[in-house]
Amino acid sequence: MSWLFGGSPKSNLPPITPLQEQRSKQIHSLRTLNPSIVELKRDEQYRLTLSAGGNNIALIISLPPQFPQDKPLVKVSPALNHPWVSKSLQVTGCASLNNFGVHSDLGRVIQSIAQELRHNPPLLISSTTGAAAEPVQQPGAGAQPPPTYQPYSSPASMQLPRQGGPQHRPSLPQRSQQPPQQLGATHNSIAPGAAAAGGHSQSAPVDVVKMLGVEPMVPPTGMVTSSVTYQPPPITALFDNLHLGNKSMQELQELYENEAKVMDIVKESAQVKQMLHDRTKLYDDCEQLSGTNLSYKPVIEKKKDELLQKVQDRNDMKNKFDFNSLQQQSNSERFLPENILDNLRVSAAEAEHDSEKLADNFLEGKVPIDDFLKQYTDLRKTLHLKKAKEEKLDHMIQKNAIRY
């Protein structure tokens, strides 16, 4: 009935198709069931940020032009591993998304995807993924075993002359040229009397370390061996001092048959005494070092508590910053010039509809003339103001006068 008071511009909004109406309902459901959703591109692309397993994950929902006849496309960011996510970071394992149709509910579909990611947190793929870890070599698989002592061959292992044979002095066994590395390697050393060639019976091996009462010095597990390796004094000098090459066969036979005498000689040697002295000194140094380390425990515990508190404060501030960033981005997108223009068009259409409805009520005698004139004038004034603002803003956008 606007012809009664002069022609007025009709609304230039295009008619809403059934597909657009279904699209609007789906978007409304998406916004209602997911309040933290952010619109990236009007009616086309949205982002939902959620926390899963301590990581922030974003769902990017893209609506095709023929949505909801065509199902939406949902991708995740950053790169992650999950049964529902393909290598191209697209959600393909959600049954409700794969079977999406016109009568489906987009908001509930996105809710089910977010719930799945929260209940089964995915594994993020770091930028260094793909670098193969270096294999650890095990002994016997190409790795060199740690150096050990060469077992000492006792005088009994020398070939003794047969009865009636030529009387000559036996040759001394050759010493190993490999430098000693670890004291613990003497565990398997063979004491004098361990073996005898030429038909002599073999005696059981003697554990020299056990007989001396010395605990083996084995580096702790995980500790760098080179930093704790103990260099024992040269043991070879002990046998040089025995002058085995100058002893007769009878003296060598006595040493071979009397292992206790040999062990007494070893215990009283300066080299073994030096090793025992070094062991005692190392024990004392370790005990002193452990006491010093324990004295630092209260300070370390205090620093640890302070660090944990700072980490908690940092996490709280990060969460607050992320929330404020999302709020700021949402507000920025809400006040885009295109969004303001659409709101002006809708508001102008509503003012025009209200004014026409008021005119119809006046013609039917439902509204007094005084009230009609006052209300109708205000509505038409509001309509023309919004129309003017709409045209001005549309012109500015078309001329790219607003940069956003």
Side-chain angles (χ1 to χ4, degrees), residues 121-164:
L123 298 177
L124 298 185
I125 302 177
S126 63
S127 59
T128 58
T129 300
E134 296 182 0
V136 179
Q137 291 185 345
Q138 298 294 336
Q144 295 294 332
T148 56
Y149 283 123
Q150 292 291 333
Y152 166 70
S153 299
S154 66
S157 63
M158 298 181 294
Q159 293 289 341
L160 297 178
R162 297 179 181 272
Q163 296 293 335

Side-chain angles (χ1 to χ4, degrees), residues 27 66 111 202 232-233 244-245 251 304:
I27 294 175
Q66 296 300 319
Q111 262 192 345
Q202 295 184 354
L244 297 178
E251 292 173 337
K304 179 182 177 181

Side-chain angles (χ1 to χ4, degrees), residues 28-88:
H28 177 71
S29 172
L30 178 64
R31 290 179 176 274
T32 303
L33 297 179
N34 303 276
S36 60
I37 198 79
V38 175
E39 187 178 45
L40 301 181
K41 191 174 182 181
R42 180 173 177 81
D43 294 343
E44 291 185 13
Q45 196 173 56
Y46 298 85
R47 182 183 67 239
L48 175 64
T49 303
L50 56 98
S51 178
N55 299 314
N56 290 330
I57 301 175
L59 296 178
I60 309 299
I61 304 103
S62 301
L63 306 181
Q66 296 300 319
F67 175 82
Q69 291 181 354
D70 296 340
K71 66 179 181 180
L73 177 66
V74 182
K75 290 190 174 182
V76 298
S77 179
L80 50 83
N81 282 330
H82 191 273
W84 280 21
V85 180
S86 65
K87 293 182 179 180
S88 59

Side-chain angles (χ1 to χ4, degrees), residues 122-308:
L123 298 177
L124 298 185
I125 302 177
S126 63
S127 59
T128 58
T129 300
E134 296 182 0
V136 179
Q137 291 185 345
Q138 298 294 336
Q144 295 294 332
T148 56
Y149 283 123
Q150 292 291 333
Y152 166 70
S153 299
S154 66
S157 63
M158 298 181 294
Q159 293 289 341
L160 297 178
R162 297 179 181 272
Q163 296 293 335
Q167 298 293 329
H168 65 277
R169 298 185 181 277
S171 60
L172 291 176
Q174 295 183 355
R175 293 191 294 270
S176 171
Q177 300 299 325
Q178 183 177 357
Q181 296 293 334
Q182 297 179 356
L183 178 62
T186 60
H187 272 187
N188 298 326
S189 299
I190 301 177
H200 292 274
S201 62
Q202 295 184 354
S203 303
V206 179
D207 194 338
V208 181
V209 176
K210 183 176 180 181
M211 293 188 65
L212 292 175
V214 179
E215 296 182 5
M217 298 182 62
V218 180
T221 303
M223 185 176 293
V224 181
T225 307
S226 60
S227 63
V228 297
T229 301
Y230 170 69
Q231 296 293 341
I235 302 298
T236 54
L238 167 64
F239 302 102
D240 292 338
N241 296 334
L242 293 177
H243 304 293
L244 297 178
N246 299 328
K247 293 185 180 295
S248 64
M249 288 301 304
Q250 183 178 1
E251 292 173 337
L252 292 176
Q253 186 67 26
E254 291 178 357
L255 287 176
Y256 167 68
E257 295 176 353
N258 193 351
E259 295 180 359
K261 183 176 180 181
V262 176
M263 294 308 302
D264 291 339
I265 296 175
V266 173
K267 288 181 180 180
E268 296 299 327
S269 64
Q271 291 79 8
V272 174
K273 289 182 178 180
Q274 180 64 35
M275 291 171 59
L276 296 177
H277 176 268
D278 294 342
R279 184 198 67 171
T280 303
K281 184 178 179 181
L282 286 174
Y283 281 173
D284 294 340
D285 293 343
C286 292
E287 184 176 359
Q288 182 180 1
L289 181 60
S290 62
T292 304
N293 292 339
L294 288 176
S295 65
Y296 294 144
K297 183 177 180 180
V299 179
I300 295 176
E301 292 292 337
K302 182 179 179 181
K303 296 293 184 183
K304 179 182 177 181
D305 295 338
E306 293 177 356
L307 178 60
L308 292 177

Side-chain angles (χ1 to χ4, degrees), residues 10 53 86 106 116 126-127 162 250 264 330 335 351 359 380 394:
K10 295 291 183 178
S86 65
L106 179 60
E116 167 65 19
S126 63
S127 59
R162 297 179 181 272
Q250 183 178 1
D264 291 339
S330 177
F335 291 106
R380 302 304 294 185
D394 188 22

